[in-house]
Amino acid sequence: MITVFLVDDHEVVRRGVADLVEADPELTVVGEASTMGEALTRIPAARPDVAVLDLRLPDGSGIELCRELRSRMPELHCLILTSYTDEQAMLDAILAGAGGYVVKDVRGMELVSAVRQVGAGKSLLDNRAASALMSRIRDEAAPAGAVSRLSEQERKLLDLIGEGLTNREIAERMFLAEKTVKNYVSRLLHKLGMQRRTQAAVLATSLRRDRPGRR
């Protein structure tokens, strides 16, 4: 049984999603929230397998909420459900650790399938999100020469940024102080000729796709 928590400021939307989820014998809703504040209190207590998060909330965003929840509960799988197809939001959701980004006009059974896949630990993007992501990767990827000049440590840092880890999580992985990681990230972006962390993340995604042996 996959347990699901719903976060949306519209009760009608929550009820509709809850009905769809509960109709699947392998899924069950264990809680709901209408704001980021409520979610940060209720989700750690409910310990769901999947949190379905609206992108825009009265007191924050589903992306901010996803990032904070994943920092506290690395085992939690998050699915962003939204009415918007903004490319930057899609990328930010992935960087925040979301397992998927689905637009609200998706069919009911497709939404249920998305919840099940994300709950199983799979990464999921609907076709529009995937198309936007690949387009951004092509547009923002740094020249190959810039990548070739990276040290082994900088390549590892780039890869961890691509996984959507926060500076604190990267510091734990690399056995460094969080402030040191922040400085390293700034130097890495400068070396790659980039201004935003998002750009480095899409570059890392592109490099992983091009590695030998990856399908």
Side-chain angles (χ1 to χ4, degrees):
M1 181 69 71
I2 296 175
T3 55
V4 183
F5 195 102
L6 308 177
V7 183
D8 196 296
D9 59 331
H10 293 98
E11 183 180 0
V12 172
V13 174
R14 294 200 311 273
R15 287 290 86 221
V17 175
D19 289 344
L20 286 170
V21 170
E22 290 287 359
D24 189 303
E26 296 184 8
L27 303 176
T28 186
V29 175
V30 294
E32 300 180 15
S34 61
T35 67
M36 183 172 173
E38 290 177 354
L40 288 173
T41 299
R42 297 175 184 176
I43 290 178
R47 309 299 298 182
D49 298 309
V50 179
V52 180
L53 313 175
D54 187 19
L55 180 63
R56 299 190 181 184
L57 298 168
D59 55 346
S61 75
I63 292 171
E64 295 172 25
L65 178 56
C66 176
R67 183 178 295 110
E68 182 61 30
L69 288 170
R70 292 275 298 163
S71 177
R72 299 184 189 183
M73 306 167 61
E75 73 283 1
L76 176 67
H77 302 292
C78 295
L79 175 66
I80 302 294
L81 181 62
T82 179
S83 302
Y84 306 93
T85 55
D86 178 75
E87 292 181 13
Q88 188 62 49
M90 294 178 189
L91 289 169
D92 289 342
I94 296 167
L95 296 180
Y101 186 111
V102 178
V103 181
K104 284 183 178 177
D105 62 6
V106 66
R107 293 172 182 250
M109 293 309 298
E110 292 176 347
L111 174 58
V112 171
S113 176
V115 172
R116 292 181 64 171
Q117 289 185 62
V118 169
K122 296 180 181 178
S123 180
L124 171 75
L125 292 172
D126 77 359
N127 289 336
R128 282 167 293 186
S131 176
L133 176 60
M134 290 304 102
S135 175
R136 183 63 66 86
I137 287 174
R138 287 192 296 269
D139 292 343
E140 295 196 354
V147 176
S148 67
R149 292 193 294 271
L150 298 181
S151 67
E152 183 177 346
Q153 185 183 52
E154 288 169 335
R155 286 175 180 269
K156 181 178 180 181
L157 175 61
L158 178 62
D159 203 43
L160 293 176
I161 290 174
E163 290 182 24
L165 301 186
T166 64
N167 284 349
R168 182 172 63 185
E169 291 169 333
I170 291 174
E172 292 173 355
R173 289 276 193 97
M174 298 184 70
F175 305 103
L176 297 169
E178 186 174 351
K179 184 176 181 180
T180 300
V181 170
K182 182 178 180 180
N183 292 334
Y184 282 178
V185 170
S186 296
R187 287 207 295 268
L188 175 65
L189 294 179
H190 178 73
K191 199 167 184 178
L192 291 172
M194 297 176 170
Q195 296 181 342
R196 302 195 309 276
R197 191 185 185 100
T198 303
Q199 292 173 295
V202 295
L203 171 60
T205 301
S206 179
L207 292 174
R208 282 199 299 271
R209 284 170 55 85
D210 292 340
R211 284 174 188 163
R214 289 190 62 87
R215 296 180 180 179

